[in-house]
């Protein structure tokens, strides 16, 4: 049975079923905004063997960049050397490169990144993975870097004992190595990582690993995904039950004919911290490797579909769209019949590029029909579900290799822009490149306005469960069924968000993992009674986000904080045990104010190091010695 939480479908949304035929589409224009060329409007360093991360790392409202890679630049010295480029968007069409010493981020190559907020402090942290290259002898590494925020000048600091995989990386510089989302609804962002570990055998080197965020700056590896590499992984609610499932593609470790056909896996969230493989055998072979597949609501019905473009079994190249029909059932549609092109070694992104409310596709990779040249394509989707490649668009078709593309709104006009990193083999564009192209719309492309604020926001906490509901927002281009929603829960201890966003303006700080947004009109999670502010915003197909609707809980509102009594702090070998008459949140901090453990009364709060600690319960702080 198909699960659909939207009571009404507009005619526009209903028309988005995938079909045959090309319909006329308006086409956006893209103008060079920044590049490595001295004469470009904005100047940023060229590179290759890296894919840029896009996000507002310093909370100034402008989307910034981070990438590593290689370039024989003056700073690198003679020959090829690895780089570290944190690029600050100045908001006026210019950019400032922050060097490695000031950013705290290391040189890297064959690298992949993800901006996320793992510690709920409102600052974008960075996951980084790469491999040994010129001037860098560390083989296959994965690092987590904490953003020190305004007090630390937004410098990054490596988290040395995070519990995350310390070695391993994608075998090349394409695909999507990370995904971040709160799969168990404990209010902390968890992490998926895929790649290969060095010096291990065939059945051991490939991995997709799930890490649970313990809420104290550390992560614990969980059981779950299948072994694979050279592909991609993502969190997303694939059956619209309100819980994040796992999607993965890549080269499988399974030996034998049966195992080697399983290139794609879907794992259902069992809502108890475990996952079950529910992949329909009919779609196993549509996974990709040495390429990227993504989750996106392609047909705008409120269910996440799968876009698979790249190498599949026996190095066949595919362009496939798997339409989500509910309850983990997917229908295969041949992308070629829809107007898409097959390609290999792809990076793939999806967004409404021409502000018609319908999802479009862009990807870079090897052209299957032009002597394996590396190219970049943009395909616009029409109302019938078919795609058209417009050959006269102003974004040049680079013969890109050793890089990829990503999306972000770099000039703040609510239209999606594109950033490319590549080594270009075209004679007049030869060399290492990093270029931003802003979407300047076009003669027939309308401007985009963010969605309206959701109405009738309601929140209640009953028996330790937060339940939030709201009415659907509206948008000038995106149908109501195609809108996604971002949710935050804010307390004195920090702010948990599905997707990092600026609370005041509503602007998303990063859109890499936009698939973790909910497509329902409700959200729930375990939560003790207390003082909270809950916010909900709508996101359209162009990744433009509207203002947050907010509601508060606690004293003076519809939800009252219970009177916590009889608090007793007990010290034990494993940490602290806080007794009380009711279940409520407990925070353990050191004397520097750093959070050491978070938990509930009448349960163990693990603390392993001897010292003096501050234990906060119901707004009161107790000093304890371990």
């Amino acid at each position: 049975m198909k699960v659909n939480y939207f009571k009404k479908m507009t005619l526009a949304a209903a028309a988005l079923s995938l079909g045959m035929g090309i319909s006329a589409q308006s086409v956006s224009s893209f103008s060079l905004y920044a590049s490595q060329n001295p004469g470009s409007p904005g100047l940023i360093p060229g590179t290759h063997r890296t894919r840029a991360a896009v996000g507002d790392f310093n909370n100034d409202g402008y989307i910034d960049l981070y990438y590593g890679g290689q370039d024989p630049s003056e700073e690198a010295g003679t020959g090829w050397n690895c780089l570290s480029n944190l690029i600050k968007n100045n908001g006026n069409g210019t950019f400032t490169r922050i060097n490695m010493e000031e950013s705290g981020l290391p040189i890297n190559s064959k690298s992949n990144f993800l901006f996320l907020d793992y510690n709920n402090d409102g600052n974008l942290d960075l996951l980084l993975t790469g491999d040994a290259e010129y001037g860098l002898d560390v083989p296959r590494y994965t690092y987590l870097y904490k953003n020190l925020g305004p007090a630390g000048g937004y410098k990054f600091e490596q988290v040395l004992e995070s519990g995350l995989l310390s070695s391993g990386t994608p075998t090349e510089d394409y695909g999507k190595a990370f995904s971040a989302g709160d799969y168990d609804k404990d209010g902390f962002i968890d992490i998926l990582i895929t790649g290969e570990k060095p010096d291990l055998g065939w059945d051991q080197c490939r991995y997709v690993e799930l890490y649970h965020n313990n809420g104290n700056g550390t992560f614990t590896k969980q059981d779950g995904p299948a072994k694979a590499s050279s592909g991609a992984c993502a969190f997303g609610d694939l059956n619209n039950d309100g819980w994040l499932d796992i999607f993965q593609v890549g080269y499988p470790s399974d030996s034998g004919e049966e195992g080697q056909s399983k290139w794609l896996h879907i794992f259902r969230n069992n809502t108890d911290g475990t996952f079950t493989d529910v992949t329909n055998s009919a779609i196993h072979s549509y996974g990709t490797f040495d390429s990227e597949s993504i989750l996106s609501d392609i047909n705008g019905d409120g269910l996440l579909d799968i876009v698979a473009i790249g190498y599949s079994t026996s190095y066949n190249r595919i362009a496939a769209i798997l339409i989500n029909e509910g309850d983990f059932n997917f229908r295969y549609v041949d992308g070629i019949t829809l107007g898409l092109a097959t390609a290999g070694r792809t990076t793939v992104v999806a967004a409404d590029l021409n502000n018609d409310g319908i999802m479009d596709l862009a990807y870079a990779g090897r052209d299957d029909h032009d002597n394996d040249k590396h190219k970049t394509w943009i395909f616009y989707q029409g109302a019938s579900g078919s795609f058209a490649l417009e050959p006269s668009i102003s974004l040049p078709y680079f013969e890109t290799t050793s890089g990829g593309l990503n999306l972000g709104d770099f000039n703040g006009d609510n239209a999606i822009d594109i950033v490319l990193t590549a080594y270009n083999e075209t004679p007049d564009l030869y060399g290492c490149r990093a270029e931003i192209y802003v979407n300047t719309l076009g003669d027939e492309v309308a401007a985009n306005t963010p969605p309206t604020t959701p109405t009738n926001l309601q929140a209640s906490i009953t028996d330790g469960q937060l339940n939030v509901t709201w009415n659907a927002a509206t948008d000038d281009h995106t149908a109501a069924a195609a809108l996604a929603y971002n949710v935050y829960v804010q307390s004195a201890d920090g702010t948990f968000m599905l997707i990092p966003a600026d609370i005041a303006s509503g602007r998303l700080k990063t859109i890499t993992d936009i698939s973790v947004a909910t497509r329902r009109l409700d959200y729930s999670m375990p939560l003790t009674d207390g003082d909270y502010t809950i916010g909900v915003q709508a996101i359209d197909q162009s990744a433009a986000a509207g203002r947050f609707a907010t509601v508060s809980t606690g004293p003076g509102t519809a939800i009252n904080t219970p009177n916590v009594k009889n608090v007793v702090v007990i010290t034990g070998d494993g940490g602290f045990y806080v007794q009380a008459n009711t279940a409520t949140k407990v925070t353990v901090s050191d004397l520097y104010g750093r959070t050491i453990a978070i938990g509930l009364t009448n349960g163990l709060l693990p603390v392993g190091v001897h010292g003096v600690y501050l234990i906060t319960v119901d707004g009161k702080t107790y000093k304890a010695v371990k």
Side-chain angles (χ1 to χ4, degrees):
M1 175 181 176
K2 182 172 180 177
V3 181
N4 194 336
Y5 293 91
F6 298 95
K7 299 296 184 183
K8 296 181 181 179
M9 291 281 287
T10 66
L11 290 177
L16 297 180
S17 59
L18 290 175
M20 296 290 293
I22 300 291
S23 57
Q25 295 126 31
S26 56
V27 174
S28 285
S29 297
F30 289 85
S31 299
L32 183 65
Y33 196 61
S35 79
Q36 68 290 328
N37 296 324
S40 68
L43 189 62
I44 58 178
T47 188
H48 81 303
R49 292 191 171 178
T50 190
R51 184 182 186 186
V54 177
D56 179 14
F57 81 92
N58 60 348
N59 294 333
D60 64 355
Y62 303 115
I63 297 298
D64 311 299
L65 288 172
Y66 180 75
Y67 53 89
Q70 301 172 35
D71 181 31
S73 64
E74 181 178 345
E75 179 177 335
T78 10
W80 294 92
N81 282 274
C82 298
L83 305 173
S84 178
N85 294 309
L86 182 60
I87 310 297
K88 177 181 176 295
N89 185 343
N90 299 319
N92 58 2
T94 67
F95 295 81
T96 300
R97 178 182 178 269
I98 301 174
N99 64 37
M100 185 174 65
E101 290 73 22
E102 294 175 344
S103 71
L105 296 170
I107 60 173
N108 56 85
S109 186
K110 294 186 177 179
S111 38
N112 225 290
F113 316 96
L114 180 68
F115 278 121
L116 74 164
D117 181 7
Y118 80 92
N119 56 355
N120 292 350
D121 66 353
N123 303 309
L124 288 184
D125 311 299
L126 187 70
L127 271 168
L128 180 157
T129 185
D131 201 354
E133 268 291 355
Y134 302 101
L136 181 61
D137 298 328
V138 181
R140 295 189 180 176
Y141 47 86
T142 300
Y143 302 139
L144 173 64
Y145 279 83
K146 176 184 176 181
N147 188 330
L148 299 181
Y154 293 104
K155 187 173 182 176
F156 289 82
E157 178 181 79
Q158 186 178 357
V159 181
L160 295 176
E161 296 183 3
S162 67
L164 292 173
L165 172 76
S166 59
S167 64
T169 180
T171 52
E172 289 289 350
D173 37 342
Y174 32 67
K176 185 171 182 288
F178 304 113
S179 186
D182 182 17
Y183 75 86
D184 59 349
K185 294 193 175 188
D186 66 351
F188 292 96
I189 295 298
D190 310 301
I191 296 173
L192 271 174
I193 306 177
T194 182
E196 287 188 3
K197 301 175 183 177
D199 305 323
L200 293 177
W202 175 268
D203 291 329
Q204 299 298 321
C205 68
R206 306 179 189 278
Y207 66 88
V208 179
E209 293 183 345
L210 172 65
Y211 286 88
H212 174 258
N213 189 333
N214 300 320
N216 59 2
T218 66
F219 294 79
T220 302
K221 183 178 177 296
Q222 309 293 302
D223 295 329
K227 295 178 180 178
S229 68
S230 302
C233 59
F235 285 116
D237 182 4
L238 292 169
N239 63 340
N240 268 7
D241 67 347
W243 293 79
L244 293 179
D245 308 300
I246 292 175
F247 162 74
Q248 67 170 81
V249 294
Y251 201 94
S253 284
D254 315 53
S255 59
E257 183 177 349
E258 179 182 356
Q260 287 300 304
S261 67
K262 296 181 179 179
W263 303 85
L264 181 153
H265 288 272
I266 294 169
F267 291 87
R268 181 190 64 212
N269 191 328
N270 298 323
T271 75
D272 60 0
T274 66
F275 291 82
T276 299
D277 192 341
V278 293
T279 315
N280 187 317
S281 59
I283 65 171
H284 266 309
S285 61
Y286 296 117
T288 56
F289 72 97
D290 284 2
S291 305
E292 184 175 20
S293 296
I294 62 171
L295 297 178
S296 179
D297 184 8
I298 290 295
N299 61 348
D301 66 351
L303 292 169
L304 288 172
D305 309 302
I306 297 170
V307 179
I309 298 173
Y311 293 122
S312 190
T313 55
S314 302
Y315 275 88
N316 294 321
R317 301 180 194 189
I318 63 172
I321 296 180
L322 304 177
I323 297 301
N324 190 339
E325 298 189 322
D327 289 341
F328 300 104
N329 294 311
F330 290 82
R331 173 171 53 89
Y332 166 75
V333 180
D334 186 351
I336 297 176
T337 66
L338 300 175
L340 296 175
T342 56
R345 290 197 172 186
T346 55
T347 56
V348 184
V349 291
D352 176 13
L353 298 173
N354 58 346
N355 295 342
D356 62 358
I358 305 173
M359 199 68 81
D360 308 304
L361 291 173
Y363 49 93
R366 289 183 175 179
D367 190 347
D368 199 17
H369 305 287
D370 191 8
N371 298 318
D372 240 13
K373 287 184 178 179
H374 292 79
K375 293 186 177 180
T376 302
W377 299 264
I378 293 180
F379 289 93
Y380 292 94
Q381 185 182 183
S384 67
S386 57
F387 290 82
L389 173 66
E390 174 54 58
S392 62
I393 61 174
S394 53
L395 179 68
Y397 293 121
F398 289 160
E399 295 178 15
T400 55
T401 182
S402 297
L405 53 81
N406 218 329
L407 301 175
D409 182 5
F410 292 97
N411 58 351
D413 63 353
N414 299 311
I416 280 291
D417 310 314
I418 295 176
V419 56
L420 289 157
T421 55
Y423 187 85
N424 198 282
E425 297 171 350
T426 304
D428 58 340
L429 297 172
Y430 194 79
C432 297
R433 312 188 71 79
E435 302 190 352
I436 298 173
Y437 287 85
V438 292
N439 190 337
T440 55
L441 307 181
D443 295 338
E444 299 179 358
V445 177
N448 186 43
T449 301
T452 61
T453 302
T455 57
N456 195 29
L457 178 62
Q458 303 286 328
S460 63
I461 300 177
T462 305
D463 296 329
Q465 181 87 352
L466 169 68
N467 297 293
V468 187
T469 61
W470 59 90
N471 290 346
T474 60
D475 186 70
D476 54 348
H477 302 301
T478 300
L483 292 174
Y485 293 89
N486 190 21
V487 179
Y488 78 78
V489 178
Q490 186 178 56
S491 70
D493 295 320
T495 302
F496 162 71
M497 283 192 180
L498 300 184
I499 301 172
D502 180 76
I503 291 177
S505 68
R507 286 194 175 274
L508 299 181
K509 297 180 183 180
T510 182
I511 62 172
T512 306
D513 267 318
I514 203 166
S515 64
V516 303
T518 184
R519 282 150 178 82
R520 295 168 58 108
L521 299 178
D522 60 74
Y523 189 78
S524 62
M525 63 184 292
L527 197 67
T528 58
D529 291 317
D531 296 321
Y532 304 100
T533 299
I534 291 94
V536 178
Q537 67 176 162
I539 306 169
D540 68 17
Q541 295 281 57
S542 298
R547 298 275 183 171
F548 281 98
T550 60
V551 65
S552 296
T553 70
T557 70
I559 305 165
N560 294 316
T561 304
N563 186 15
V564 181
K565 300 178 180 178
N566 307 323
V567 175
V568 178
V569 178
I570 302 172
T571 302
D573 291 338
F576 298 102
Y577 187 93
V578 181
Q579 291 181 342
N581 67 316
T582 185
T584 193
K585 184 177 181 179
V586 181
T587 302
V588 181
S589 306
D590 62 16
L591 295 180
Y592 296 97
R594 296 175 296 193
T595 300
I596 305 301
I598 297 175
L600 297 176
T601 52
N602 304 313
L604 178 67
L605 292 100
V607 175
V609 180
H610 295 286
V612 179
Y613 294 91
L614 302 177
I615 299 175
T616 303
V617 185
D618 191 33
K620 298 180 181 179
T621 300
Y622 305 82
K623 184 181 288 186
V625 179
K626 182 181 183 303

